[in-house]
Amino acid sequence: MLVCQILKTKAPEVISVTPSQTMVEVLGLFRENNIGFVVVGRFPGQCLGTLSERDCCNAVAEYGTEAPLMRVADIMNRSVATCSTQDLLPSVMATMTKRRTRHVLVMDGSTTVGVVSIGDVVKHRLDELMSNEQVLYDYIAGTGYH
C-alpha cells in the first residue's frame, strides 16, 4: 500500500503551530483535537520541526516547572522523520522503527502534505490481514466465486 492511499482515508488537515507558541498552548490543542503531535511552522505546509507528547514530557523532565511556558521553538524536535506520497507502507514502518517515532511527515518536495501515525499503520495492516483472512476462508469454503 502506498502512503497516498493511506492519506485518502484520513482528514486532509495537518495541524500545525508556530514556533512562538508555548507548550501549554500546544497541550490545550492536543486535548481539544484528541491528538498528540503537531507540525511546527510559520505558515501552512512549512515544517521547521515537530512537537509530540513525548517531546513535552522530555521538556518537563529536563526543565521542570519552567517547561509549560517555554516556546515551542525551544523544545521541538528538529530531526523529523519524513516520507513521500509514493513510499510503500513497509518503508514507513521501517522508518518508524529505526527512528523510534510514532509519526512520519508526508512531504511533497519541501511542503508537508500529511502525517502517517503508528495508528494509521496498524489500522491499514489490520485491514489487509482481515481481507486476506476472508479471501482464504472463501477459498477453503468454496465461496466467493462469481
Side-chain angles (χ1 to χ4, degrees):
M1 173 169 282
L2 294 173
V3 170
C4 62
Q5 293 170 296
I6 294 171
L7 291 183
K8 287 179 185 176
T9 67
K10 297 181 60 164
E13 182 182 13
V14 175
I15 298 179
S16 61
V17 298
T18 64
S20 61
Q21 287 181 264
T22 63
M23 180 181 27
V24 76
E25 290 173 326
V26 175
L27 291 173
L29 188 65
F30 284 175
R31 183 175 181 191
E32 289 169 21
N33 292 281
N34 195 29
I35 59 172
F37 178 87
V38 291
V39 176
V40 181
R42 291 188 189 93
F43 53 84
Q46 181 188 42
C47 177
L48 300 173
T50 61
L51 191 69
S52 69
E53 291 169 322
R54 181 183 292 174
D55 297 324
C56 294
C57 288
N58 289 338
V60 169
E62 185 172 345
Y63 302 108
T65 57
E66 296 174 23
L69 299 178
M70 292 179 72
R71 292 176 344 114
V72 169
D74 298 326
I75 58 175
M76 70 183 184
N77 175 18
R78 289 178 169 80
S79 176
V80 180
T82 64
C83 67
S84 81
T85 57
Q86 297 305 303
D87 283 343
L88 293 169
L89 188 56
S91 174
V92 175
M93 293 166 63
T95 298
M96 287 180 170
T97 301
K98 181 178 179 183
R99 300 284 303 273
R100 298 188 50 80
T101 185
R102 296 180 183 108
H103 302 88
V104 175
L105 292 187
V106 184
M107 307 297 289
D108 182 8
S110 62
T111 303
T112 305
V113 295
V115 177
V116 175
S117 72
I118 190 74
D120 299 327
V121 170
V122 169
K123 178 193 179 306
H124 285 86
R125 291 296 293 156
L126 183 59
D127 289 348
E128 286 177 349
L129 291 170
M130 290 175 65
S131 176
N132 290 344
E133 182 178 319
Q134 185 62 48
V135 168
L136 289 172
Y137 177 81
D138 290 345
Y139 176 75
I140 292 167
T143 61
Y145 299 103
H146 302 301

